[in-house]
Amino acid sequence: MTELVGDARHLSPSAQEALRMRAVAALVEGRDREDVAAMFKVSLKAVDNWWAKWLAGGWEALAARPRGKRIGEHQVLSEAEQAALRQALLDYQPCDLGLSGQLWTRALAGELIAKLYRVRLTEQGVGKYLRRWGLSFQRPDKRAVEQDAEAVRIWHQETWPAIRAKAKKEGAEVFFVAQVGIRSDQVTGRTWGAKGRTPGVRRTGSRFSVNAMSAISTNGRIHCMVLTETFDARVMCRFLDRLIGHFERKVHLVVDGHSAHRSRKVRAWLAEHADRIELHFLPSYAPELNPDELVNADLKRSLPMHSRTRDQAQLAAETAGSSTAANAGRTSSAATSAAPTSATPSNRAL
């Protein structure tokens, strides 16, 4: 019992609970309150308080309780105000609410709080509210102001389900196609270095580039083609010809509105191969609907981090290798954004 005596305020919550339990147990056995106070070296007032709690609520009333403020207690902003602010941050940009900029920061969120509720909070205080609301600091996706929201809605609710149903009925495969350009002087990523001294990267001073076309299916299969010439209708026809050469069944191809995709030469080629392939067009200014953009973005970001090419031929070779190997880790997530499936991804150069 010696560990329970002394100044009870210095004991742990569990030890204080045990002290209360033993003191009340001694009172229940018939000991005098003065004897219990002396035995456990506590005040008569403490003994009386514990006895009153036990009489009112039993042994549970003597159990330890969490210390500190309850969650949400004594907050400057009410629950209703917090809910309104959270929704405002999710639904609007700062410029929509009379503030500057398009991205929410702790400082701008604090300005909104001051503007609406005449309360000034530190940035640290605003940050606590933001985290409490389940928000995190993220890099936003870009959306073109020219994008037609109604066209995107129709794509999601009507066009894409119809393409998927038609392909399933025909036993066909669906691919999304995109193009990307890789430059010799592009540097991405970061490296460690001494503070105040920016590290350098040795690269060729010559400027050259290659283009890559890739197609990702809804089950995670990737086909790619690297070219050194400009992408045009002739290149598109060559890509289509190589793509259908890998399949005995029909292919449905989803593309953006590039002029080469709509050219007379491509339309003529498609008419000659109508039983093998069919083209479908995404809404304008909506690259986020194309999962192949994720593959190309990954290629454009990762290749310059490892490449030290000195000529266009070497850059083309490294781009082809990265398209079929490095992107293998990206295919599953990219394909899932098109249509979730459990198929095993594979990569192939055209």
Side-chain angles (χ1 to χ4, degrees), residues 28-306:
V28 172
E29 291 175 356
R31 291 181 177 269
D32 293 335
R33 47 195 287 274
E34 292 83 0
D35 293 340
V36 172
M39 180 188 306
F40 294 101
K41 296 185 179 180
V42 295
S43 66
L44 284 174
K45 183 178 179 180
V47 174
D48 292 339
N49 286 338
W50 297 342
W51 180 250
K53 287 184 177 181
W54 180 79
L55 292 176
W59 298 107
E60 291 184 2
L62 303 176
R65 297 286 187 272
R67 292 179 174 180
K69 297 179 181 178
R70 296 176 182 176
I71 297 177
E73 189 176 15
H74 304 307
Q75 293 182 14
V76 175
L77 300 173
S78 68
E79 293 296 326
E81 291 170 341
Q82 292 184 48
L85 284 165
R86 182 183 187 277
Q87 203 59 44
L89 296 181
L90 295 176
D91 292 343
Y92 300 99
Q93 295 176 346
C95 55
D96 298 330
L97 301 176
L99 304 175
S100 61
Q102 295 182 308
L103 304 178
W104 284 111
T105 63
R106 292 184 302 176
L108 283 174
E111 286 187 31
L112 180 62
I113 293 172
K115 181 178 180 180
L116 294 179
Y117 303 114
R118 302 293 189 271
V119 174
R120 286 287 179 184
L121 299 176
T122 64
E123 289 196 10
Q124 292 79 5
V126 173
K128 290 181 180 180
Y129 275 114
L130 295 175
R131 289 189 294 273
R132 187 177 297 132
W133 299 340
L135 306 182
S136 61
F137 201 54
Q138 305 174 33
R139 187 187 301 274
D141 285 335
K142 293 180 289 186
R143 295 290 186 271
V145 294
E146 298 87 353
Q147 185 181 100
D148 185 345
E150 178 62 15
V152 173
R153 184 195 66 79
I154 293 175
W155 168 265
H156 279 300
Q157 298 182 7
E158 301 176 18
T159 309
W160 171 238
I163 295 172
R164 195 165 44 183
K166 185 176 182 181
K168 183 177 181 180
K169 182 179 179 180
E170 296 174 345
E173 190 149 4
V174 180
F175 278 88
F176 287 78
V177 173
Q179 301 85 34
V180 64
I182 305 295
R183 289 189 344 206
S184 61
D185 58 347
Q186 181 179 344
V187 178
T188 60
R190 299 186 179 188
T191 187
W192 290 97
K195 289 184 178 180
R197 297 179 59 186
T198 303
V201 176
R202 296 183 61 82
R203 305 186 67 84
T204 178
S206 302
R207 293 185 178 181
F208 48 85
S209 62
V210 298
N211 294 317
M213 289 190 65
S214 60
I216 182 172
S217 72
T218 52
N219 61 11
R221 182 183 313 205
I222 282 185
H223 294 266
C224 62
M225 183 176 77
V226 178
L227 50 140
T228 55
E229 67 265 42
T230 302
F231 175 70
D232 55 17
R234 180 179 53 83
V235 172
M236 181 63 180
C237 290
R238 188 166 82 238
F239 179 82
L240 296 175
D241 195 52
R242 293 185 181 185
L243 181 63
I244 64 172
H246 287 286
F247 300 95
E248 295 182 357
R249 52 182 177 170
K250 186 175 180 179
V251 172
H252 286 266
L253 213 59
V254 181
V255 299
D256 58 27
H258 194 286
S259 58
H261 300 156
R262 300 181 180 273
S263 66
R264 183 180 303 175
K265 186 178 183 68
V266 170
R267 292 201 306 268
W269 188 96
L270 290 170
E272 295 176 4
H273 302 81
D275 59 330
R276 300 288 310 280
I277 191 168
E278 184 175 344
L279 240 61
H280 307 275
F281 292 93
L282 289 164
S284 300
Y285 301 102
E288 69 275 6
L289 300 179
N290 189 346
D292 198 31
E293 294 288 355
L294 297 175
V295 177
N296 287 342
D298 201 41
L299 172 66
K300 196 169 185 177
R301 181 173 56 252
S302 61
L303 181 60
M305 295 176 63
H306 310 288

Side-chain angles (χ1 to χ4, degrees), residues 7-25:
D7 191 345
R9 294 174 297 179
H10 296 161
L11 300 178
S12 66
S14 58
Q16 290 184 26
E17 177 182 319
L19 175 61
R20 291 191 294 269
M21 296 286 189
R22 293 192 179 189
V24 172

